[in-house]
Amino acid sequence: MVVNDLIKVLENKTFASSELVRKILNNKDARHLFISEYKYFNDDDNLNLYELFIEEKIILKNIYLLSETIELAININNIKSYNFIKDKLLTKNHYLVKISCLDYINHFYNKRCIQQDEYLNLNNQIKKCSSNKIVKFQVYINLLIFKKEVYFRVILKFLNNNKEPFYLYRIVTSFLNYESFSFVFKEKKILNEIINLINSNKIINSKDKFNLIELICTARA
């Protein structure tokens, strides 16, 4: 019932009521869909509900719930959780939590709420300390804006050795979602290499290939 009500809100592109938001945040399936697809977090007058949820849940140890809570903090531009999330990034945690933390610092670096030295230091610490290839891949993407040639070669090598679609989706969505990557859409070499990797990937189906390439070409136009 809650999921169906949420789907109607998403389809109609309307604000979610406070009553519905309370139900959504307490429903695992609805919450995941809501956090990833809802577009009106900063417009629907439910900020107090989102902040309360973050305050209550961010201290819990459930991996998936913590990851979603950090993503919600991104959606509502909650910089108040920065020190806690930075600690989660720098201490031992599941890779899903680390990825969400990296998304968080990337988001607030782009919002100019985190200084460049701090942002570089956090990414470089994770690059040195993390053994998880998914986490390292996101760090390479984050550092691309500082050493374009170096990290683009690293990313290309990584993508040639790791064919899982997740990595291609990650790099494309990072380019699309953050202002600091806008330079990429002026770099024909980078975009052509990414498009070639998408086309040559034997795991991604034809429809998803088309959608990914269309996203790149639309942003470049």
Side-chain angles (χ1 to χ4, degrees):
M1 181 68 177
V2 178
V3 174
N4 290 337
D5 290 342
L6 171 57
I7 290 172
K8 289 179 183 177
V9 166
L10 296 175
E11 288 177 344
N12 295 327
K13 298 180 181 179
T14 55
F15 293 172
S17 67
S18 297
E19 181 183 357
L20 180 58
V21 167
R22 288 189 184 92
K23 292 177 180 177
I24 288 169
L25 293 177
N26 286 305
N27 182 291
K28 179 182 176 182
D29 294 330
R31 184 176 62 243
H32 178 76
L33 179 62
F34 183 64
I35 290 172
S36 62
E37 299 295 333
Y38 187 63
K39 305 299 182 186
Y40 304 110
F41 288 102
N42 295 299
D43 304 304
D44 65 3
D45 293 327
N46 291 312
L47 182 60
N48 60 324
L49 293 178
Y50 303 137
E51 289 183 335
L52 180 61
F53 179 86
I54 292 167
E55 185 180 332
E56 290 177 348
K57 306 303 181 187
I58 205 165
I59 59 174
L60 303 181
K61 294 184 178 181
N62 181 294
I63 292 165
Y64 300 102
L65 183 55
L66 179 54
S67 177
E68 288 178 348
T69 302
I70 296 169
E71 295 296 337
L72 179 59
I74 294 170
N75 288 340
I76 68 166
N77 292 308
N78 185 307
I79 191 65
K80 290 184 276 187
S81 303
Y82 175 69
N83 287 332
F84 187 89
I85 290 172
K86 181 172 75 169
D87 182 67
K88 289 292 181 184
L89 177 63
L90 296 176
T91 53
K92 187 175 180 179
N93 277 291
H94 192 275
Y95 80 89
L96 287 176
V97 175
K98 295 268 192 181
I99 287 291
S100 293
C101 292
L102 286 168
D103 285 344
Y104 182 92
I105 66 165
N106 199 350
H107 175 80
F108 282 106
Y109 175 71
N110 275 270
K111 291 284 185 182
R112 296 175 173 81
C113 297
I114 300 175
Q115 295 297 315
Q116 180 174 306
D117 287 348
E118 169 93 342
Y119 181 74
L120 275 168
N121 182 51
L122 290 172
N123 278 286
N124 282 321
Q125 282 191 65
I126 301 305
K127 186 180 72 170
K128 290 177 183 177
C129 300
S130 178
S131 60
N132 184 279
K133 66 180 184 179
I134 297 175
V135 172
K136 280 202 166 185
F137 181 67
Q138 186 60 49
V139 169
Y140 299 150
I141 295 173
N142 288 1
L143 293 174
L144 181 65
I145 60 177
F146 300 106
K147 292 184 178 179
K148 181 175 61 179
E149 295 296 330
V150 172
Y151 283 105
F152 185 58
R153 287 197 298 270
V154 172
I155 287 169
L156 279 183
K157 182 178 179 181
F158 185 99
L159 290 172
N160 278 307
N161 293 330
N162 296 273
K163 301 298 184 181
E164 296 92 331
F166 169 84
Y167 298 110
L168 285 167
Y169 283 105
R170 259 274 143 187
I171 194 167
V172 171
T173 53
S174 292
F175 288 171
L176 290 169
N177 289 340
Y178 296 109
E179 183 184 346
S180 59
F181 292 114
S182 60
F183 75 92
V184 169
F185 296 103
K186 299 175 184 176
E187 297 282 342
K188 290 183 178 180
K189 179 182 176 182
I190 292 178
L191 293 183
N192 288 339
E193 290 280 9
I194 298 297
I195 289 170
N196 288 338
L197 283 166
I198 293 170
N199 278 324
S200 63
N201 190 291
K202 296 180 180 179
I203 301 175
I204 304 175
N205 63 50
S206 297
K207 182 180 178 181
D208 287 343
K209 284 183 182 181
F210 176 83
N211 289 337
L212 274 171
I213 293 171
E214 186 177 43
L215 284 172
I216 293 172
C217 293
T218 300
R220 180 168 58 179

